[in-house]
Amino acid sequence: MSITENRGGSSDRTGLRAGGSKTSLRSSSKRYGEKLAMGVLIGAAGLSVLVTVGIFFALLIPSISFFREVPVLDFLTGTRWAPTFNNPDFGVLPLIVGTAWTTLIGLVIAVPVGLGAAIYLSEYAPNRVRNVLKPILEILAGIPSVVYGYFALFYVAPVVLKGWFGLEIGTFSVLSAGLVLGIMIIPTVASLSEDSMSAVPQSLRQGSFALGANKMRTTMRVVFPAAISGITASIVLALSRAVGETMIVALAAGTRAQVTTDPREAAQTMTGFIAQTATGESVPGSLGYNTLFAVGLLLFLITLAFNIIAGIIVRRYREVY
Amino acid sequence: MVLSLGLAACGGSDEPGGDGDTSVSGEIVVDGSSTVEPLTSAAGELFGEENSKVNVSVATSGTGGGFEKFCAGETDISDASRPIKDEEAAICETAGIEYTELRVATDALTVVVSKDNDFITCLTLDELKKVWEPAAEGKVTTWDQVNSAFPKEKIDLYGPGTDSGTFDYFTDEVNGEEGASRSDYNASEDDNVIVKGVGGSANALGYFGYTYFEENASTLKAVEVDSGDGCVAPSAETSADGTYTPLARPLFIYVKNASYADKPEVAAFVDFFVASDAEIAEVAQFIPLNDEQRTELETALATLKG
Amino acid sequence: MASIGAVVAKPLRAAKHGDRTFTSIAFLSMLWLALAFAILCLGVLLVDSFLDGRTRLDSNLLTRYTSRVLPDRAGARAAILGSAWVIATTAVLAIPLGIAAGVYLEEFADPRRWYNKVIEVNLSNLAAVPAIVYGMLTAGFALAIGMERRIVLAGGIALALLVLPVIIISTREAVRSVPQEIRHGSLALGATPLQTIWRQTLPAAIPGIATGAILALSRAFGEAAPLLLLGGLVFVTYDPTGLNSGFTTLPIQIFNWASQPQLAFQQVASAAIILMLVMLLLMNAIAIFIRNRYQNKW
């Protein structure tokens, strides 16, 4: 059920406002206790806006101090990130590249596996199987990211990558972090895609079968395209989560801020930098503190952009049955 | 010395809390060097066995980070692996924070490579400088550039971040200027991360305090340092007698005078620290002070009290 | 085992010839592979944690503090209590506010008004903000009002902000599913709208709200990033003494232990992970139980 339709769970529109609006629940009496309670409710809802405003300002104000000392263009296009050294440089590209690597590897894992699982659960699995497998997938989503990071550091890197695959890889790498990040995001892709595909009406499938298509064709040519908006939204959401994830990369990706083309290298992501700096010095007002917030602002804007894109895709391409 | 006997007895106890309880209680906030942290944490633990109502929390923001918080009044004690800098002292003075420097142990700053590394046993100071100086950034990337006898393998570097006293000390001694270093290495305030990183890669090199090497001697190899008189391996003896130079260095705790005077738990803790210094150093696997340094410590404590 | 065989064999026995083509079966195999991969990863993770940590699943884990001196006997007591304190604070802050906001948005807000549209968009954005940003917000807030950053209250605020959007959204879903007839009946009997909500709608929606709240809190339980930002990595050997006290939580303690190279710390970290997973499974199971048992079927 969507947020904008079927408000209040009813389509009864009778009485005073027959023009299609809600039956008014607004009190017409002057009970002050009621007014107070209403005020509390409105305040609570307004709080959410306050939070966003708060985030914006909390990130913006130190960033403004930062950008007074470091030109925005240097920040966005520089390729050397060494904010605390004697000859400092504030080019954020290495952090962005690090984030891009872990996100990319994560999506390469999560999208095929997630979609595969989703297609199976929604189209092929008998109900009993589905009722068992779906909660199991949900468990993957509930595991804390610090556990995943630990898993990457102590199992994936030494045992899987070095041992099974024989890769020349160190303790820290974007590959091990990205792989585990992907595993963590599988349920995000799987769950939302499965919901979208299940919501496609049976009549479309039956029409396809009636025309002689087999199950595979029906799934891929009819159901999948019909659910594409939900599926894309799930992928974009997974993307946001990958970009914003901190603990896995802090534990497993390393602290070497560099622009690299080799996923076996260690690299630092935006979130990894924030975590590392935050557990170090953080005296307000200093350039180091402000650097933290400048990167945080960039991160916030990026995830915000992805979220808005997801919203647009859902609204534009959603099929309403 | 009854105290140290009592300590030895309690050290082997199985009880989570102490049964001896003095009347001190409260919170002691410590921050600073990750090199010194094992020492302070061990001290806090041993102290806590006799004084279970005192909460000692030890954070590791790095020597520099610790001083920033110390001079902002946020901590009672600052762990440091180098003496306080003039700029930092000035900030403390402006903020009205008076402190006492106590040298509590010695450390042999150790350069390490992985046990799997088969081509490095000894490095001269010049070679170290070639690897770590700012000019090396982006240029010195394979081991054969450092010494033609080494293989052409990629150099993988790990080291403390710029807030670390270890970083300050190392760059000062090796590169000639405090804070001067290449920046393209895996930096971490947490020495354990360096241990992990170096241990996992045959071509990696890193540096940190001796304790971290000792605790991980199964995966790491200490590099002998040649400062002109031959290769010397780091150890308690070579640090104490001065042959492991220039990387043998003092470790400090800085105590806020006001905390010592106003908070009895801080006073009790610091007294305990000094009195049982040798015990604590041994438990935490640090190099204890020699007699001369001990006397200096006791004198310093006397000024704190008086 | 027989049912797995049945599941596997079903498409092969498919009546329609079209489902027995090579491509169809290859396709299905790939789907199975995908699913198997996901489940295999989960299995390996659980088994690996269990194998690593089983030697340390002892009472020391629960009753002792972390230790430099005796890593073999390190325990997670400070972390467990710290987590309890922080989650309790989070619940007290986030649940009433979340329910209040959700009720307003669902019952009273006119969706065509611009300010309510803004709130809508806002909520879905907030739900996607990275957790660490909430830590930064709380740090800035604490700085502005002069509150210490490393205390339980600050941690509770950061996590409450994190889960607030989730609680609001699940409250709305729960309230939305209460049929209009209930409300109308109450209004017809002369109750005011607020009385209706308080006495009829909300109680009917409680199971859904409770489920959402528990899932949100279990997410907060597993979060480390925002708290790292506030307090840093702290070696804590005491129980939290109140909202004003320093603290550590299970995820932070695990992160701390994972960074130590000694084998003993690795083992205790694995044991703590098992502990955490068990607690999370328990919370999820309670949520599902509530949903199944008390969910009203209209």
Side-chain angles (χ1 to χ4, degrees), chain B residues 13-16 27 29 37-38 41-42 45 55-60 74 190 192-193 195-196 215-216 283, chain C residues 63-70 73 77 149-150 233-239 241 245-246 258-262:
Chain B
S13 121
D14 267 6
E15 286 151 357
E27 211 165 334
V29 183
E37 182 260 324
S41 297
E45 231 180 287
N55 296 334
V56 182
S57 67
V58 186
T60 51
E74 290 176 27
D190 187 352
N192 291 302
V193 171
V195 171
K196 270 235 194 55
E215 284 179 354
N216 301 288
V283 155
Chain C
T63 54
R64 288 186 62 107
Y65 300 111
T66 182
S67 169
R68 270 276 163 197
V69 180
L70 301 162
R73 307 237 210 106
R77 175 172 161 169
R149 280 171 292 164
R150 56 176 202 95
L233 278 182
V234 179
F235 184 84
V236 171
T237 50
Y238 53 87
D239 304 336
T241 51
S245 128
S259 316
Q260 318 270 356
Q262 291 89 339

Side-chain angles (χ1 to χ4, degrees), chain C residues 66-149:
Chain C
T66 182
S67 169
R68 270 276 163 197
V69 180
L70 301 162
D72 295 327
R73 307 237 210 106
R77 175 172 161 169
I80 296 173
L81 289 172
S83 278
W85 269 90
V86 170
I87 297 299
T89 313
T90 305
V92 163
L93 288 174
I95 293 183
L97 279 177
I99 296 181
V103 162
Y104 171 76
L105 287 171
E106 199 54 33
E107 296 286 306
F108 294 108
D110 186 342
R112 296 161 311 159
R113 300 267 189 213
W114 68 271
Y115 44 82
N116 288 323
K117 282 212 180 97
V118 167
I119 295 182
E120 297 275 357
V121 173
N122 202 40
L123 267 184
S124 58
N125 280 338
L126 281 181
V129 167
I132 202 164
V133 173
Y134 285 108
M136 297 168 95
L137 171 62
T138 311
F141 173 70
L143 215 63
I145 65 168
M147 180 173 76
E148 269 188 275
R149 280 171 292 164

Side-chain angles (χ1 to χ4, degrees), chain C residues 24-46:
Chain C
S24 284
I25 296 186
F27 180 68
L28 187 60
S29 312
M30 285 199 324
L31 296 184
W32 277 332
L33 225 67
L35 202 56
F37 178 76
I39 299 187
L40 196 71
C41 288
L42 178 63
V44 167
L45 202 155
L46 293 176

